[in-house]
Amino acid sequence: GAGSPVLEPETVLLSSSELSPPASPGPRRELIAYEVKVNQRDIEDICLCCGSLQVYTQHPLFEGGMCAPCKDKFLDRLLLYDDDGYQSYCSICCSGDTLLICENPDCTRCYCFECVDTLVGPGTSGRVQAMSNWVCFLCLPFPRSGLLQRRRKWRGWLKAFCDRESGAGLETYKTVPEWKRQPVRVLTLFGDIRDELTSLGFLENGSDPGRLKHLDDVTDVVRRDVEGWGPFDLVYGSTPPIGHACARPPAWYLLQFHRILQYARPRPACPRPFFWAFVDNLVLTQEDHATATRFLETDPVTIQDVCGRTVQNAVHLWSNIPAVKSRHSALGSQEARSLLAQDWQRMKPPTQRPAKMVKNCFLPLREYFKYFSTGPTSSL
Ligand SMILES: [Zn+2]
Ligand SMILES: [Zn+2]
Ligand SMILES: [Zn+2]
């Protein structure tokens, strides 16, 4: 039956080695080369990330297997970015401290020394470091480097992996090859995110005004208007910041955002990547918060602006942008508010604009849209 483990000699061998005194993670990964070259084991039956033989699924980018714990880690970290705009973790194992960075300007991927040395060949990381213009294993013209073989159609593999493993919930899109990426077309409601998107390189300074449309009042906007202005790739909306005089009740912003979002969405089953984000500056009531979660069909995350040990500001973010969930915790509307409570009273106007707080959540869009180079001074 499916539940009873079949003990093959190799499995026994593995478990006995696993039971032996705590091995450092290094030696196990070195077994990958041994298993493939000496034992003639198919690399698809070995976890590429840690060397485990308890394979749960296939690695979506490179030929090789993946064990269940590594799959979870990979899924969580896959599209996390650092402030420098590069991915935070190794594209092979999704961990790693010291990372080699791909110098293809359209690529944001990193690789750890250990992966490169164990899978491509000992000493490779040193050689890569000495090179001035290294491009990574997904960007190189040839698909194989040592044991590392890029999958054909890896974008499709990646999408299938995310759809399958992230469970019920958000639709995911195939990442777009750099030569196909177009500048993002943005509709921004109530709050403006032009500065943030410009600093991330998604909009050029003085770029075509058609790339971003900002509306403060949408009362009279109907479907025909949105379809005429569009198509849009990203729809952003927010409630007004606390202390900001506004004529409407906070829930109005949510309901209008949701209404306009429906007009901007591509037809069902359309494969075109389409993203949205809604930010509440903690002005929605608990009931509105629940309504937002129901309407937007996803749970929000809480993003905090922390200075020292003081939370200076916090927002809730509902979004379908990849990796937003894995980077931030989800606090209930109550919890976030009580977190702020002590500081709230003596709080001067928030130090950071809400849009600035969520800025880095837009970084994963680099896998889908063209971005222009940003100077070192432009990172806010
Ligand atoms: Zn593993
Ligand atoms: Zn790695
Ligand atoms: Zn690359």
Side-chain angles (χ1 to χ4, degrees):
S4 56
V6 182
L7 289 182
E8 287 165 1
E10 287 150 345
T11 320
V12 174
L13 206 105
L14 171 82
S15 22
S16 64
S17 78
E18 276 190 325
L19 288 173
S20 62
S24 67
R28 270 181 84 194
R29 292 202 71 197
E30 277 160 28
L31 284 178
I32 298 178
Y34 180 81
E35 288 290 346
V36 172
K37 291 178 184 160
V38 181
N39 286 347
Q40 301 282 300
R41 190 186 289 271
D42 187 342
I43 198 163
E44 299 283 10
D45 297 331
I46 311 172
C47 177
L48 214 52
C49 311
C50 73
S52 161
L53 301 181
Q54 313 290 319
V55 163
Y56 166 87
T57 187
Q58 303 321 119
H59 196 290
L61 303 177
F62 299 97
E63 288 186 3
M66 207 182 246
C67 71
C70 288
K71 180 268 296 175
D72 290 338
K73 191 169 66 180
F74 194 86
L75 202 62
D76 273 357
R77 297 177 166 186
L78 178 62
L79 286 173
L80 291 185
Y81 285 76
D82 282 340
D83 291 344
D84 60 9
Y86 283 95
Q87 295 191 0
S88 309
Y89 296 99
C90 171
S91 286
I92 301 169
C93 67
C94 269
S95 24
D97 300 322
T98 318
L99 296 169
L100 300 165
I101 288 174
C102 177
E103 289 181 61
N104 171 356
D106 295 302
C107 181
T108 53
R109 295 189 176 273
C110 300
Y111 297 79
C112 74
F113 285 12
E114 197 193 312
C115 278
V116 170
D117 289 335
T118 49
L119 296 169
V120 182
T124 306
S125 61
R127 283 196 293 278
V128 167
Q129 271 188 303
M131 287 169 71
S132 53
N133 271 308
W134 180 71
V135 296
C136 81
F137 309 106
L138 292 173
C139 295
L140 280 170
F142 45 89
R144 174 176 281 281
S145 310
L147 293 175
L148 201 58
Q149 167 97 36
R150 158 172 93 223
R151 288 200 190 277
R152 286 191 61 230
K153 306 195 171 168
W154 58 267
R155 294 170 198 283
W157 275 82
L158 191 60
K159 170 173 165 39
F161 177 89
C162 295
D163 285 346
R164 193 173 64 238
E165 303 301 339
S166 56
L170 298 172
E171 67 272 41
T172 60
Y173 299 100
K174 231 175 166 168
T175 62
V176 176
E178 55 175 274
W179 54 273
K180 270 191 174 172
R181 289 178 203 154
Q182 297 292 320
V184 66
R185 295 159 296 184
V186 188
L187 176 61
T188 170
L189 307 178
F190 323 126
D192 196 355
I193 48 167
R194 176 181 296 277
D195 292 350
E196 285 71 25
L197 293 180
T198 304
S199 80
L200 293 175
F202 288 116
L203 299 170
E204 276 181 306
N205 266 323
S207 68
D208 171 7
R211 298 258 165 252
L212 181 139
K213 185 162 186 70
H214 174 216
L215 296 170
D216 267 322
D217 191 351
V218 295
T219 325
D220 299 325
V221 171
V222 295
R223 179 180 286 273
R224 211 177 39 244
D225 298 323
V226 177
E227 287 176 351
W229 296 323
F232 293 107
D233 307 302
L234 171 66
V235 179
Y236 173 86
S238 72
T239 58
I242 275 189
H244 189 279
C246 55
R248 322 269 188 183
W252 182 86
Y253 296 89
L254 164 67
L255 299 176
Q256 293 294 343
F257 172 80
H258 181 257
R259 183 175 71 89
I260 303 293
L261 179 63
Q262 304 320 306
Y263 304 159
R265 276 185 194 282
R267 289 185 318 278
C270 173
R272 179 167 75 81
F274 174 79
F275 300 100
W276 55 267
F278 182 75
V279 172
D280 171 31
N281 296 294
L282 300 193
V283 297
L284 291 181
T285 65
Q286 208 174 351
E287 201 186 324
D288 297 339
H289 184 97
T291 306
T293 299
R294 203 167 63 243
F295 275 40
L296 299 173
E297 297 177 64
T298 187
D299 289 314
V301 294
T302 310
I303 298 174
Q304 299 166 20
D305 172 19
V306 181
C307 181
R309 302 189 64 181
T310 313
V311 180
Q312 302 210 322
N313 198 4
V315 295
H316 288 306
L317 170 68
W318 288 260
S319 180
N320 74 335
I321 297 174
V324 162
K325 283 252 164 63
S326 36
R327 169 157 263 184
H328 302 282
S329 63
L331 295 180
S333 61
Q334 283 294 63
E335 291 164 282
R337 238 174 290 243
S338 59
L339 196 85
L340 279 168
Q342 312 110 323
D343 303 310
W344 202 244
Q345 304 305 325
R346 52 191 148 96
M347 203 179 67
K348 293 173 265 312
T351 46
Q352 286 207 43
R353 291 177 55 209
K356 199 169 164 185
M357 291 174 60
V358 300
K359 183 183 121 174
N360 280 356
C361 295
F362 296 113
L363 277 168
L365 300 183
R366 288 190 164 184
E367 297 280 333
Y368 300 90
F369 303 104
K370 185 176 169 61
Y371 59 93
F372 307 93
S373 62
T374 54
T377 48
S378 65
S379 60
L380 291 176

